[in-house]
Structure formats: C-alpha cells, structure tokens
Amino acid sequence: MVKEIRNVAIVGAGVMGVQIGLRVAAKTHNRVSITDISERALERSKEQQEAVLAEMVNRNLLKVAEKQNIEQRIAFTFDLKQCLAGADLVIESIVEELAAKRKLFQELDALAPPDAILATNSSTIPVSRIEDVTRRQEQILNIHFYMPDRMPMVDLMGGTKTSQETMEAAERWVTSIDSVPIKLKKECLGFCMNRIWHVARIEALKMWAGGYVDFKDIDRAWMIFTGMWAGPFGIMDSIGLDTVYNVHMVYYNEDPRKYGFHKPPDRLKEMIDKCNLGVKTGKGFYDYPDADYLNPDFLKKRSG
Ligand SMILES: NC(=O)c1ccc[n+]([C@@H]2O[C@H](COP(=O)([O-])OP(=O)(O)OC[C@H]3O[C@@H](n4cnc5c(N)ncnc54)[C@H](O)[C@@H]3O)[C@@H](O)[C@H]2O)c1
C-alpha cells in the first residue's frame, strides 16, 4: 500500500527544482527538502525562491504570513541523505543526461526510505531506461513538470514494472498540487505536450540558424498565433539553452535516422559554449531581466 505523500525530496536545485518546490509548498502542506551537488546552485535557488516570493507579496498575490508558511515548509540541504530522510516521494531534477540520472537513482534507491516513490522530472528520458538500477521497480515513474505556474500540467508515465498503485498515488499527488495529470498510456520519448512542442522548437531553431527569419519575429508570430506570453526563443531562454540542447540530443542519440531532424544547429552550441544559457545566466537569445518580449510593445515592433 502506497502511503499518503507528505514529504517530498527534490534532488537538483536548478531552474526546475526551485519551481517544483515552490508549487508543492504553496499548494499543499507537504514538507519539501531540496538538495544539489553544487553549494552555489543551492545558494542561488534560495535567492531565487526569496525573489519570487517577495515579488508575489509586492504584487499582492501573497500575504506575508503565507510567504512565511511556504518558506517554513521548504528546507535546503547539501546533504543528500538528510534530504531523503522520511521522503514519501523523491523527484530527481538534475542534468538531462541518462548516465548521470542512472548513477543518481542507484544512490536514491540505497538511501531513500524503502516505501518512497522515486520519480524523474526528465524532459525526454523514459524511466524504463533507469528503473533497472533500483530494487523498487514498482515504485518508479516519470513525473514530468511543465513550467509549474504558467502551465500547471504534469506528464505521468510508468516504466515496465510500475504498479497501478504507484501511478494512482502520483496522480492524486499531482492533483493535490493543483495541476492536471496527463497520463501516457504507452511509453513515449518526450511524453505528451513536450513531444509535440520539441518538433516546433527545433524547426524554430533551424529557421533562426539558417538565417530565414529573425528570432524575434518568430517569437512575435508564435505569440500572436498561440496567444502565449512568449515565443519559442523566450521560452527556451527560460528553460536554459543547455537543457534545450541536451533534450534534442536525447532524441538524436536514440535513433539518428528516425530523429535526425532533432540535431541542434551549431549556432546553439556556440551560445552554450559562451555560457549564454538564457535567464539563468542573464543572457541567451535575449538580455535579462529586461528582455524585449516582456515589453508590452514587443508585438507592435519590427525585428531588431
Ligand atoms: N528547465 C525546464 O524548463 C525543464 C522543464 C521540465 C523538465 N526539465 C528537466 O528537469 C531536469 C533539470 O532541469 P533544469 O532546467 O532544472 O536543469 P539545471 O541545469 O537548471 O539544474 C540542474 C541542477 O542539478 C544539479 N545536479 C547535477 N547532478 C546532480 C546530482 N548528482 N545530485 C544533485 N544535484 C545534481 C546541478 O548542480 C544543477 O543545479 C532535466 O532533466 C530537464 O530536462 C527541465
């Protein structure tokens, strides 16, 4: 019997780890513990959390007392063992590389309570590629978040041995954080919406890299077409260009003949090599914090 989820451990305090932690602590009474192998990343994520909550208070979206409650529910620790102690659900959210995830899941399996559910927030990798390094293959699955505040939906996908009980517990938990569970009926690289969006995204990258259209005009077109707050390049900056690159390489490496079109253009790699990774480094396609597409006049202007 899978017990009720009260304690959530998040491993990886990057772009997503922080956002997931905030969503969970804001929507439930779950206790959240976040860890990272980098002390610097852990520090940055604490600062980011503080900035997000302070901004919400400033904009009257959150009362000071609610902010304090949220903060009290989230703990940051550099100690993996401490992070996992008492966890009912562990969410891995580290770099999008299969080898790194497999190594970490071996540790998670050894250190997390035996009845804890282990989940990966990978953007593409099915948990079936990871499950065999653990001894709890019935309690492991993909729980893939989109941007928790802007897109409150979560893909759920089991591995080859994930129990129905685990899937149901995950579905209940996702609903409890006020998000919509999107259930995959069969294993699929990239899950549901990501699979569709990644195709559009690689086309956008190739149109930019090939010099067909200015990236800002692609963003304008996308924003007008979909009504979204940003276009593919603004969204990629929010995700992190290194993560975008790794995600497309997961498809490509899976089967270069089938997924050859996912190979990212060299120009993207050049930006990553210069450490222009998007919002997290202050520069990507746009400069932050005052990126052009955030300006209400963005849609009225021409490229440049
Ligand atoms: N960025 C997004 O918008 C987004 C959305 C959905 C899913 N994802 C997925 O979530 C995962 C994390 O993405 P991100 O954007 O937060 O990446 P990120 O690069 O911002 O953060 C990853 C963090 O993991 C840490 N890390 C690496 N190895 C570790 C280990 N062994 N133990 C503990 N910490 C470790 C790094 O120090 C880093 O702080 C990836 O699998 C990605 O595909 C990302």
Side-chain angles (χ1 to χ4, degrees), residues 14-16 36-37 41 93-94 96 101 121 123 145 239 280:
V15 172
M16 280 308 280
D36 201 286
I37 42 163
S93 192
I94 69 164
E96 184 75 346
K101 289 188 191 288
N121 180 43
S123 302
F145 286 81
I239 293 167
K280 62 185 168 187

Side-chain angles (χ1 to χ4, degrees), residues 47-303:
E47 288 162 16
Q48 194 192 334
Q49 175 180 303
E50 173 57 31
V52 169
L53 291 175
E55 173 70 12
M56 288 177 77
V57 170
N58 282 343
R59 291 169 58 197
N60 284 327
L61 298 172
L62 199 66
K63 295 194 170 67
V64 174
E66 289 168 333
K67 173 179 181 279
Q68 286 166 348
N69 286 339
I70 292 170
E71 284 168 338
Q72 277 167 11
R73 285 197 274 275
I74 304 179
F76 292 87
T77 171
F78 189 52
D79 182 343
L80 177 63
K81 208 167 168 184
Q82 191 180 330
C83 175
L84 299 175
D88 305 306
L89 170 65
V90 180
I91 300 174
E92 166 275 311
S93 192
I94 69 164
V95 60
E96 184 75 346
E97 287 173 12
L98 179 60
K101 289 188 191 288
R102 283 177 64 82
K103 184 166 177 290
L104 177 62
F105 268 84
Q106 218 166 354
E107 280 181 83
L108 299 181
D109 189 42
L111 297 175
D115 53 356
I117 294 174
L118 305 185
T120 173
N121 180 43
S122 166
S123 302
T124 37
I125 304 168
V127 77
S128 65
R129 315 284 161 86
I130 301 172
E131 63 188 17
D132 63 296
V133 301
T134 76
R135 291 156 301 171
R136 58 178 93 191
Q137 298 187 24
E138 297 196 338
Q139 293 158 235
I140 180 167
L141 79 163
N142 286 95
I143 297 187
H144 168 255
F145 286 81
Y146 293 79
M147 289 174 187
D149 285 335
R150 292 196 185 267
M151 305 170 181
M153 60 177 170
V154 177
D155 291 316
L156 295 177
M157 190 171 87
T160 64
K161 300 194 175 67
T162 313
S163 70
Q164 191 58 29
E165 227 182 338
T166 298
M167 295 305 294
E168 285 167 9
E171 187 178 346
R172 279 196 303 276
W173 181 74
V174 167
T175 308
S176 80
I177 59 167
D178 204 9
S179 300
V180 176
I182 310 283
K183 294 181 280 180
L184 274 291
K185 287 158 57 171
K186 280 197 220 178
E187 182 174 296
C188 180
L189 207 64
F191 327 123
C192 181
M193 195 57 215
N194 254 5
R195 171 100 182 187
I196 300 165
W197 145 244
H198 290 164
V199 175
R201 187 169 81 185
I202 197 72
E203 286 299 338
L205 280 166
K206 286 180 177 175
M207 286 173 73
W208 156 72
Y212 293 97
V213 194
D214 187 278
F215 74 85
K216 290 183 187 174
D217 273 345
I218 297 177
D219 274 359
R220 288 187 180 97
W222 181 280
M223 289 163 78
I224 292 167
F225 190 73
T226 64
M228 285 177 77
W229 79 99
F233 294 89
I235 297 174
M236 282 189 271
D237 274 355
S238 301
I239 293 167
L241 301 187
D242 48 346
T243 301
V244 168
Y245 182 89
N246 287 342
V247 162
H248 287 289
M249 287 308 288
V250 169
Y251 287 100
Y252 180 77
N253 288 330
E254 174 78 7
D255 183 346
R257 274 187 304 180
K258 183 173 175 190
Y259 295 114
F261 64 95
H262 270 291
K263 189 156 192 284
D266 292 344
R267 280 183 76 185
L268 181 67
K269 186 73 173 56
E270 286 161 19
M271 290 176 73
I272 295 165
D273 291 343
K274 287 185 197 150
C275 216
N276 293 335
L277 304 181
V279 178
K280 62 185 168 187
T281 57
K283 186 170 177 53
F285 287 99
Y286 296 90
D287 292 325
Y288 296 87
D290 302 316
D292 295 0
Y293 70 90
L294 300 171
N295 183 326
D297 285 341
F298 181 68
L299 292 184
K300 294 183 194 154
K301 287 188 185 154
R302 295 207 178 152
S303 42

